[in-house]
Amino acid sequence: MTLSANDYLKRILLSPVYDVAVNSDLQKLDKLSAAIGNEIWLKREDQQPVKSFKLRGAYNKLSQLSDEQLKAGVVASSAGNHAQGVAYSAKRKKIMATIVMPETAPDIKVEAVRELGGEYVNVVLYGTSFDQAKDEALRLSQELGYTMVAPFDDEDVIAGQGTIGRELLEQNPDLDTLFIAVGGGGLISGIAVFLKQLKPDLKIIAVESEESACLQAAMQAGKPVPLNHVGIFADGVAVKIIGQEPFRLCQQYVDEVITVSTDEICAAIKDIFDDTRVIAEPAGALSVAGIRKYLKSNPMTGKKFGGILCGANINFHTLRYVSERCELAEQKEAVLAVKIPERKGAFKAFCDVLGGRAITEFNYRYSTDREAHIFVGIKLREGKKEYLALSSKLNEQGYQCFDLSDNEMAKLHVRYMVGGRPPSLLNEKLFSFEFPEHPGALMKFLDTLGENWNITLFHYRNHGAAEGLVLAGFEIDDGRRAEFDEHLAKLGYIYQEQTQNPAYKFFLSDLNGVFAE
């Protein structure tokens, strides 16, 4: 039976989530507010016992189960915050919960689930993806009679998340626009169905990662549709298809959907830290990233914007990646490929043209007796305007430049590999892979390809996620390309050929690169 808006209103008002959840603070971000000329208010769901809003929906779901269902136990599949919410709720209810997590789930999250659930939780590690873990949870539910606790596509879970809307209305009834992160849609649908009934003029904007925009895809198609692939950085919203019930509610109550890039998310993590000294997880910073992006397209001042810090369960090692990327997102740094003359004093002359700007990174590689190719990072004080002026000045001085600030492969790999040209010309093909972090994954890669083709380049960097990113080059004879592609298909990893990427051609391939005359 489809619930009406009024049904949701009643369920949200009567929800017992405060048995375990706290009425989290709504904090004004003073520094960010001053910087962008509008009041920015942030709902601090990182204050929950499990450091995310997921506790609300999980506990509300368990509270609606019959004694018979509770006695039989529950099962859930999750790689992170939902698992912790179910574990904590099961312990409070003193019922058994089985949590199925992918084998690739970070140890910090697996241990957190075990600690939060104690003797009431059994963690099962299964498969190398969320989808495989979900299938195993469904099997256990059907065979053993466990009640499935869905992460977002469930009316009781949605109502539990909707209690945030109730608190927001009490804490600041004057908000003009509310920005809410979207993964599977449980959070935004619960809040929206509540607030739109009581304050219909409040604008609600969904914010998605560009790498997992399942709501945007559903809105365009008129129904939930699966994405071919989702990104791995903002893992808390890495959902391939929006939930059916959340989508129904979003169609009625969400005013707009916007997407943000990885760099914009990193900048938002820094914004939140500057005001709160709290480190949001990437998904938790989506709403602030959305506010910044929205105001770039819709300049205004004196308004009251709200966002939700929906989680702070970040892997510590992810922070180095965030730190590297936030400066680029705020346009406080630019990274460039530049050709300079190969002669004594050329670097000093180049720095003189920069006019005293701080150099954040400089990578040099001898190219020929005539010229050198450099990879340089430059600190900017005035953003894009300053970069355009600098670029014009460099061109006037005869320097050939290529802006790599938006080149993903350059930022992920090439900046750490400059100087790796082969000593002689190779028939080299370059590929980027998403590489699962589980025992045996590297050997699978090498067993499938390593003995058949010469690996000419291999760069791996872990960003603290369930999957790493790999850049690999292979020497492939033209007559064996079809055979290589067949072996690549057997590998089963997500990949993309990068042989024509200008960052690769300029720094890592033969001398017939992008700037060759």
Side-chain angles (χ1 to χ4, degrees), residues 261 263-267 296 325-332:
S261 69
D263 286 358
E264 288 167 334
I265 295 170
C266 290
K296 286 181 181 178
R325 301 296 287 260
C326 65
E327 294 286 282
L328 289 167
E330 294 176 329
Q331 297 183 343
K332 294 180 179 178

Side-chain angles (χ1 to χ4, degrees), residues 292-333:
R292 269 198 175 274
K293 185 162 188 175
Y294 182 79
L295 286 174
K296 286 181 181 178
S297 302
N298 305 274
M300 63 185 77
T301 58
K303 299 294 185 181
K304 295 180 174 64
F305 295 116
I308 299 168
L309 199 176
C310 52
N313 288 308
I314 188 170
N315 188 320
F316 180 79
H317 297 294
T318 304
L319 296 179
R320 63 182 178 185
Y321 177 80
V322 172
S323 177
E324 290 169 1
R325 301 296 287 260
C326 65
E327 294 286 282
L328 289 167
E330 294 176 329
Q331 297 183 343
K332 294 180 179 178
E333 182 188 22

Side-chain angles (χ1 to χ4, degrees), residues 206-277:
V207 186
E208 295 187 284
S209 166
E210 289 177 353
E211 297 182 339
S212 55
C214 59
L215 176 56
Q216 185 181 72
M219 289 293 195
Q220 292 170 352
K223 62 180 180 180
V225 291
L227 301 174
N228 293 326
H229 169 60
V230 295
I232 59 175
F233 177 61
D235 59 335
V237 292
V239 176
K240 283 190 174 182
I241 185 169
I242 195 82
Q244 288 282 351
E245 179 65 2
F247 176 65
R248 181 182 76 84
L249 295 171
C250 285
Q251 277 188 306
Q252 296 180 57
Y253 301 112
V254 172
D255 296 290
E256 190 175 340
V257 182
I258 62 175
T259 63
V260 293
S261 69
T262 294
D263 286 358
E264 288 167 334
I265 295 170
C266 290
I269 292 173
K270 181 177 180 293
D271 284 333
I272 293 170
F273 177 80
D274 286 345
D275 261 302
T276 68
R277 293 300 185 263

